[in-house]
Amino acid sequence: MADHPQEDPKPDGAAFDRFFDSIGNKAENLTPNRNNDIPSSESNPSAVEAKVPEEEQKVVDEIESLCMNCRENGITRLLLTRIPFFREIIIMSFYCPHCSFKNSQIQSAGEIQQKGSRFELRLTAPADFERQVVKSDTCVVKFTELDLEVPAGRGQLTNIEGILGMIMEDLAMHQDARKEQMPEAWAKVDEILAQGKKMIAGEAFPFRVSLDDPAGNSWIEPDHRDGVGKWSKIEYARTPEQNEELGLGGNGDEDQNKVEGQPQVVGQPTAASFEDDDVVPNEVYSFPAACPGCARHCVTHMKMVDIPHFKQVIIMSTVCELCGYRSNEVKTGGAIPELGKKITLKVENSTDLARDILKSESCALECPELSLQVNPGTLGGRFTTVEGLLTNIRDDLHQQIFDVDDASGEGGDSLESETKMNWKKFFDGVDAAIKGEKKFTVILQDPLAGSYVQNLCLPEKDPQLEEEDYKRTEEEEEDLGLADMVTEGYEEITEPVAEELKKDLEKLKIEGDKKGAEEAAKCIEKKVDAVNG
């Protein structure tokens, strides 16, 4: 029987990394090609063999392609590389020798992340303009104070000043035509241009810029000196519409087949079995859900746990067998308290590192000795130990600051030496704290009082643990949606209000949610009848 040649296996992670090496490493691996340095084959028989790998060392690939301007053939050059903050990218450049047409752009070559990401930076000084920004082709940029939003478009690697400057140039391009044809639009754009120029000149601090990328491949450079409220990152589950725009939405028939053929979890209650019953603590419940990564059906597990001397919390875990997506979330229940809570823990030894800690999604964390601040929403809700929480924060930051496989912390070639040194010093301090070699303080400030640190001296007071209640600020009330919340007298529904609600419900019926609208209408009618006697 003849031997059939085996197909080349799909490249693993290491092979993939070799294709997308940093520009500095590619330059170092090249051998200068000088004619007087190449020995002849007569004096050195191995010269021809040594020349072969040198010819294979191509940094830029050239492809003959059609010019869309003159319909002649031009040259497209491709550079596959990896840069800090953006994983893998493809730099493309086209040139046509016939009509001199040029074009260049970058595209992300990395995978779509399991969750979307939203970054926000509050600019307070001219140095903040130098923050590097990676904007993928699926990212939406927004300047809050300008009330200006830039839709998804071409990918860019720039900084805050570059983005704002390009926006101002694009808006000013057709102002003369707007003044003659659309005076109202010209006045509004002129107002935005005036405010934007003040921002670039450093006369309008503070202001905010945000990046919202459903693919999770955009980024704003952080600084280890950023305080709470300066820089924030929030990961979120994509909506079905966003998955469809990214090409991740599946066929409806295929999804239905997945549901029908989905194996049931044996020995565990399902959503249908406890719909009318109370959730039992320490019992694991399973119910179907949609995977945020691939939009297919998966299983979510839920368990209620009683934390002694605190409250009940719900631990939720989602695992997708199709794409490998995994997530863990911790949510606290109960009513919203009137006061927030601030918890201060002095970590002095390995026993303190092993304390249980619950950081809710609304909680901000600060370690002054480590120059570490974590904004609310970052990392989501976590129930772990002090050591585990610090490790999660370190790994998440290290993955963004340095290269993907850079365990030494040397950084990429576009990372400045001073910045690299500051970050290395910061991570060394965090590592020393994780190993128990450095004493530090953990400060948790939670406006919803949903965070917890284990007390090792119960029922007595722990000398290393301080808890105090505080009144929420107006900004915290606004961020949590509590400023305009009505909690009294809402059951008194008058006829005019009921009519408005019915109009909204009719609109809801037209949009497709007929069953939900009909049930809500019946409830409103009953309440109106009860109020009016």
Side-chain angles (χ1 to χ4, degrees):
M1 183 180 291
D3 295 334
H4 295 282
Q6 294 183 354
E7 296 182 358
D8 294 335
K10 184 178 179 180
D12 57 7
F16 188 76
D17 290 342
R18 285 196 296 271
F19 283 116
F20 291 88
D21 204 351
S22 64
I23 296 177
N25 291 339
K26 286 190 174 185
E28 290 177 359
N29 293 333
L30 283 177
T31 304
N33 187 8
R34 301 191 181 105
N35 293 330
N36 55 358
D37 292 339
I38 300 176
S40 63
S41 57
E42 297 178 358
S43 60
N44 188 1
S46 63
V48 178
E49 296 179 2
K51 190 177 180 181
V52 175
E54 181 180 338
E55 292 177 351
E56 294 179 355
Q57 293 176 348
K58 293 182 179 180
V59 177
V60 179
D61 295 318
E62 296 184 353
I63 302 173
E64 187 176 359
S65 53
L66 179 67
C67 175
M68 303 306 295
N69 188 40
C70 67
R71 300 296 175 177
E72 297 288 341
N73 284 339
I75 299 295
T76 296
R77 293 177 174 84
L78 303 176
L79 173 63
L80 281 65
T81 184
R82 185 194 300 122
I83 58 176
F85 322 137
F86 199 37
R87 305 175 186 89
E88 299 82 19
I89 67 166
I90 300 175
I91 302 177
M92 296 184 293
S93 174
F94 175 80
Y95 174 71
C96 178
H98 303 281
C99 64
S100 300
F101 176 74
K102 296 180 180 180
N103 185 28
S104 61
Q105 59 179 314
I106 68 170
Q107 287 188 358
S108 172
E111 62 182 3
I112 295 176
Q113 304 305 305
Q114 293 182 338
K115 289 186 177 182
S117 58
R118 185 182 298 109
F119 292 86
E120 182 173 291
L121 175 67
R122 184 181 180 90
L123 286 83
T124 57
D128 293 331
F129 279 117
E130 301 176 4
R131 302 279 187 115
Q132 290 197 37
V133 174
V134 173
K135 175 188 173 295
S136 74
D137 53 5
T138 58
C139 176
V140 176
V141 181
K142 183 176 182 180
F143 286 87
T144 307
E145 280 68 22
L146 279 179
D147 196 17
L148 181 65
E149 184 174 290
V150 182
R154 189 180 65 175
Q156 293 175 309
L157 174 63
T158 178
N159 55 23
I160 301 293
E161 184 178 5
I163 287 183
L164 187 55
M166 283 186 287
I167 293 174
M168 294 298 105
E169 290 178 5
D170 292 342
L171 287 176
M173 189 175 298
H174 302 290
Q175 270 296 80
D176 295 337
R178 289 193 194 99
K179 189 174 183 180
E180 296 180 0
Q181 301 173 4
M182 298 179 291
E184 295 182 359
W186 170 84
K188 293 181 180 179
V189 174
D190 192 63
E191 184 179 347
I192 293 175
L193 287 172
Q195 182 67 16
K197 291 177 181 178
K198 288 183 179 179
M199 289 180 173
I200 295 176
E203 301 173 359
F205 292 122
F207 62 92
R208 292 167 291 173
V209 59
S210 62
L211 304 182
D212 192 341
D213 187 3
N217 284 327
S218 297
W219 195 80
I220 297 179
E221 180 185 1
D223 192 292
H224 66 281
R225 295 167 294 185
D226 290 340
V228 174
K230 175 81 171 178
W231 179 94
S232 65
K233 172 191 175 184
I234 297 176
E235 293 183 339
Y236 61 89
R238 288 186 289 267
T239 62
E241 291 78 12
Q242 290 174 329
N243 277 319
E244 188 174 351
E245 291 176 358
L246 294 174
L248 299 178
N251 189 311
D253 296 336
E254 294 179 2
D255 290 347
Q256 184 65 28
N257 293 335
K258 290 292 181 181
V259 175
E260 294 175 356
Q262 186 175 357
Q264 297 294 326
V265 183
V266 181
Q268 293 182 356
T270 61
S273 63
F274 70 89
E275 184 175 358
D276 299 326
D277 300 330
D278 293 333
V279 178
V280 180
N282 298 321
E283 184 74 36
V284 178
Y285 295 89
S286 303
F287 48 90
C291 174
C294 65
R296 298 301 181 90
H297 291 276
C298 60
V299 177
T300 294
H301 305 285
M302 182 185 75
K303 180 179 180 180
M304 180 179 287
V305 178
D306 280 315
I307 298 181
H309 307 283
F310 184 55
K311 62 172 70 174
Q312 289 181 333
V313 299
I314 297 175
I315 301 176
M316 304 185 70
S317 172
T318 302
V319 179
C320 180
E321 297 181 355
L322 295 174
C323 68
Y325 172 83
R326 292 176 177 269
S327 70
N328 297 289
E329 295 182 75
V330 178
K331 298 184 179 295
T332 57
I336 297 176
E338 296 183 0
L339 301 174
K341 178 172 287 189
K342 182 178 180 181
I343 304 174
T344 304
L345 171 66
K346 296 180 181 178
V347 181
E348 298 181 351
N349 49 47
S350 58
T351 304
D352 296 326
L353 287 171
R355 289 179 188 250
D356 291 335
I357 184 170
L358 170 62
K359 177 197 168 295
S360 73
E361 193 170 358
S362 60
C363 177
L365 181 144
E366 184 177 1
C367 299
E369 295 83 358
L370 305 179
S371 301
L372 174 65
Q373 296 91 19
V374 178
N375 283 293
T378 307
L379 296 177
R382 295 293 176 97
F383 183 42
T384 176
T385 61
V386 175
E387 179 184 359
L389 186 60
L390 278 182
T391 303
N392 288 336
I393 296 172
R394 179 201 61 188
D395 293 344
D396 185 66
L397 265 178
H398 194 279
Q399 210 173 31
Q400 297 181 51
I401 301 302
F402 296 109
D403 209 351
V404 178
D405 57 351
D406 187 5
S408 63
E410 293 297 326
D413 25 270
S414 67
L415 197 61
E416 297 180 2
S417 300
E418 184 179 354
T419 304
K420 189 188 305 181
M421 188 182 305
N422 291 335
W423 277 114
K424 194 173 187 307
K425 182 179 178 181
F426 168 79
F427 284 116
D428 289 343
V430 175
D431 289 337
I434 293 174
K435 296 176 183 177
E437 300 172 356
K438 184 175 183 178
K439 297 181 181 180
F440 61 97
T441 306
V442 177
I443 302 174
L444 301 177
Q445 184 164 328
D446 192 345
L448 295 181
S451 297
Y452 159 85
V453 176
Q454 183 181 11
N455 187 336
L456 301 179
C457 302
L458 287 173
E460 302 295 330
K461 180 178 175 60
D462 194 327
Q464 296 175 225
L465 186 64
E466 295 182 5
E467 297 184 5
E468 60 175 309
D469 296 329
Y470 72 94
K471 186 177 180 180
R472 287 187 288 265
T473 63
E474 293 183 1
E475 186 177 355
E476 288 176 335
E477 293 273 349
E478 184 70 27
D479 292 340
L480 295 171
L482 302 176
D484 300 324
M485 182 179 292
V486 179
T487 58
E488 296 180 358
Y490 60 88
E491 69 279 358
E492 298 177 3
I493 302 177
T494 60
E495 286 291 348
V497 175
E499 290 299 325
E500 291 294 328
L501 289 173
K502 288 180 181 179
K503 290 180 182 179
D504 294 338
L505 291 172
E506 289 298 328
K507 183 180 178 182
L508 192 60
K509 288 181 183 179
I510 297 174
E511 291 176 354
D513 192 3
K514 295 182 179 180
K515 184 177 179 181
E518 290 173 357
E519 292 178 355
K522 290 179 182 178
C523 293
I524 290 176
E525 289 175 0
K526 289 180 180 179
K527 289 186 176 182
V528 171
D529 294 339
V531 170
N532 297 333

